[in-house]
Amino acid sequence: MKQTEILVIGGGPAGLCAAAAAAQLGASVLILERDGKPGGQLVKQTHKFFGSKKQYAGDRGIHIGDFLLDQVEQDPKVEVWKDTTALGIYEDGVVTAEADGKHIKIKPEKIIVATGAAEKFLVFPNNDLPGIYGAGAVQTLMNVAGVVPGKRVLMVGAGNIGLIVSYQLMQAGVEVAGVIEAAPQIGGYLVHASKIRRAGVPILTSHTIKEAYGENTLEGAIIWQLDEKWQPIPGTEQDIKADVMCLAVGLSPLTELCWQAECEMKYVPELSGHVPVRNDFLETTRPGLYVAGDVSGVEEASSAMVEGRLAGISAAFSLGYGKDVAPKLQAEAQEELNELRSGPAGEKTMKGILKLTGKEGVAC
């Protein structure tokens, strides 16, 4: 059985930052990553990040992922197991995993779950036609495999992912027929929307898919307008010809391990689904199990990295490492999170966190 002080499940931005922070305080860390290259969503993000230098503003996601991976691989206190999938967290603290067809048992003292999130889907007639993808899948095809998904794309969803992937499709020479968004306003940053609007791509808010059509593969879709009650308006249908439909309609936290570990869970729509209840240091109701990143509530990668750092510091501190510096580092990470979540962009997340902690409606 493999022994380690801290086990990090998930080698995305949150997991890598958690491992680096814990190791810097002196803890030994093992990372489990199911893919062949750690980095999570960063491995396919070719756009530059916003924020501050603390969150690598001005750098592209792919370069940030490489930097974080190099950081942990060069630290002798960190092991990285690639192509390894965590299977379960059990009552006795044993974690099981699968790698290369083998069943592995691991006994950590602390666990950080940083499993990320999965793409949501939409229900409409013929949504199983070949040519209908999640936006993350299209981003992987283009930016990792170097394959364009088709010739003409209809993007569904005007959040940051939908807007960014639309621009990346155009950079790859793919025509974007349009972007539709069910909400009355776009959900992504205006700078991303402006780039594709300047290229002549229409963004239609208060619109959704009525149905897709095609013989053997997608040939197009019928869209229609929604009223102020989110109900379709008959007579507003438009036929959009496209051989690819890209669904950027949100993410759901991948919390299966948290459920199985019997963490207390709570449904919070603002955090994109069921998420584990945790304290200010990201420790869940199962003692010694921490969460960080999209598994704790879907946000931007910048927040995931800071949450990872906070979880790593907290887990190492609970083992007795960094007694002189850890409280200060925890406070700094919490302040960074508050800054990232300030303003209109973070209003939804803050509302969700207040609901999760039971502080909603409490005067500050």
Side-chain angles (χ1 to χ4, degrees):
M1 185 180 296
K2 172 69 176 178
Q3 305 278 341
T4 187
E5 288 185 309
I6 298 175
L7 175 66
V8 177
I9 303 175
L16 292 175
C17 287
Q24 284 167 6
L25 290 180
S28 63
V29 183
L30 171 62
I31 302 174
L32 304 185
E33 170 52 49
R34 68 180 182 182
D35 290 335
K37 181 180 179 180
Q41 299 303 307
L42 295 175
V43 302
K44 56 190 176 186
Q45 292 182 342
T46 58
H47 59 280
K48 292 183 178 180
F49 273 42
F50 297 114
S52 69
K53 278 296 178 183
K54 293 178 183 178
Q55 292 93 41
Y56 308 100
D59 291 324
R60 298 185 188 278
I62 50 174
H63 300 145
I64 298 169
D66 288 341
F67 169 75
L68 295 177
L69 181 57
D70 288 344
Q71 188 179 26
V72 297
E73 288 187 330
Q74 290 172 13
D75 194 317
K77 294 184 291 298
V78 181
E79 282 187 79
V80 182
W81 288 5
K82 304 170 187 176
D83 296 309
T84 303
T85 301
L87 302 176
I89 301 171
Y90 297 93
E91 296 90 340
D92 56 1
V94 172
V95 176
T96 59
E98 183 276 328
D100 196 26
K102 296 178 181 179
H103 187 255
I104 305 164
K105 291 183 179 180
I106 306 161
K107 186 62 185 293
E109 295 181 46
K110 305 292 177 180
I111 301 169
I112 300 173
V113 176
T115 44
E119 292 191 279
K120 293 180 179 178
F121 212 67
L122 280 181
V123 177
F124 53 86
N126 301 317
N127 69 352
D128 59 347
L129 278 171
I132 300 177
Y133 300 85
V138 166
Q139 203 174 33
T140 301
L141 273 177
M142 291 193 302
N143 298 345
V144 178
V147 176
V148 293
K151 297 179 179 179
R152 195 166 195 259
V153 175
L154 172 63
M155 179 65 66
V156 182
N160 281 324
I161 293 176
L163 298 173
I164 288 169
V165 175
S166 293
Y167 188 68
Q168 290 174 352
L169 282 161
M170 289 188 287
Q171 287 179 310
V174 179
E175 181 185 0
V176 178
V179 179
I180 65 170
E181 168 60 52
Q185 296 179 332
I186 65 169
Y189 296 136
L190 290 177
V191 64
H192 296 315
S194 297
K195 285 195 293 187
I196 62 174
R197 277 177 170 147
R198 284 196 298 269
V201 176
I203 301 176
L204 302 177
T205 55
S206 296
H207 279 75
T208 192
I209 296 290
K210 180 179 182 181
E211 62 179 337
Y213 63 86
E215 198 64 37
N216 297 309
T217 62
L218 181 72
E219 297 174 15
I222 306 298
I223 67 171
W224 54 2
Q225 191 173 350
L226 301 175
D227 62 22
E228 65 278 1
K229 295 182 180 179
W230 298 71
Q231 297 302 306
I233 303 173
T236 62
E237 291 88 348
Q238 296 182 52
D239 186 347
I240 307 293
K241 298 290 190 293
D243 61 344
V244 173
M245 185 189 299
C246 202
L247 301 177
V249 292
L251 303 170
S252 295
L254 283 170
T255 55
E256 291 89 345
L257 288 173
C258 296
W259 284 102
Q260 194 257 340
E262 297 187 341
C263 298
E264 181 184 347
M265 307 293 288
K266 190 171 183 179
Y267 181 72
V268 184
E270 292 84 357
L271 300 179
S272 297
H274 281 93
V275 292
V277 175
R278 67 275 186 177
N279 63 21
D280 291 342
F281 304 108
L282 302 181
E283 186 175 17
T284 67
T285 55
R286 172 165 174 157
L289 192 152
Y290 300 78
V291 289
D294 283 350
V295 70
S296 66
V298 175
E299 293 186 78
E300 297 296 316
S302 299
S303 298
M305 289 188 283
V306 181
E307 277 201 343
R309 180 155 32 98
L310 177 57
I313 294 166
S314 301
F317 184 43
S318 72
L319 293 172
Y321 293 103
K323 290 182 179 179
D324 296 332
V325 297
K328 179 175 181 292
L329 295 175
Q330 287 173 319
E332 289 174 352
Q334 289 167 336
E335 181 58 32
E336 276 187 62
L337 285 171
N338 289 336
E339 290 175 4
L340 286 168
R341 293 164 177 165
S342 63
E347 186 177 341
K348 180 180 175 184
T349 298
M350 287 304 301
K351 184 178 179 181
I353 290 171
L354 292 174
K355 278 187 179 181
L356 184 69
T357 57
K359 296 177 182 177
E360 187 181 26
V362 177
C364 297

